Amino acid sequence: MTAVAASIPPSWYLLLASAVFCIGLFGILTRRSALYFLMSVELMMNAANINFVAFALYYGDLTGQVFALFVIALAAAEVAIGIGIILVLYRNFGTTDVTVPAEMRW
């Protein structure tokens, strides 16, 4: 481990990850815009990545970093599909508010 990484205990990384996760959860529970939903889910995924990398650093193996790369790839696919859904939502209803469409219809 490097000198900087060894001086920071893993509990600080977990505290940071829990704070980022709570901010993302707050964004999902309080906002109605689909764009904010996507950003909040990204924050929650990044909190998981912080945990993966912190535990990989703590245990000295690369498994957590490999999982973090998979989560990053999953997040990129989620954003691509999410932006497509938001564009269709905006095209059909004129807003990105997720409470406007009451049911799925053609």
Side-chain angles (χ1 to χ4, degrees), residues 10-71:
S11 60
W12 288 99
Y13 293 114
L14 298 178
L15 184 67
L16 173 67
S18 63
V20 171
F21 187 85
C22 288
I23 291 170
L25 184 64
F26 179 76
I28 283 181
L29 294 176
T30 58
R31 302 294 181 164
R32 296 189 303 187
S33 174
L35 291 173
Y36 284 118
F37 275 7
L38 279 178
M39 288 189 291
S40 297
V41 169
E42 290 295 322
L43 280 175
M44 293 168 75
M45 286 185 174
N46 284 330
N49 283 341
I50 292 171
N51 282 331
F52 284 141
V53 172
F55 283 118
L57 177 67
Y58 181 71
Y59 289 116
D61 62 352
L62 294 176
T63 307
Q65 293 179 4
V66 171
F67 278 121
L69 287 175
F70 282 125
V71 171

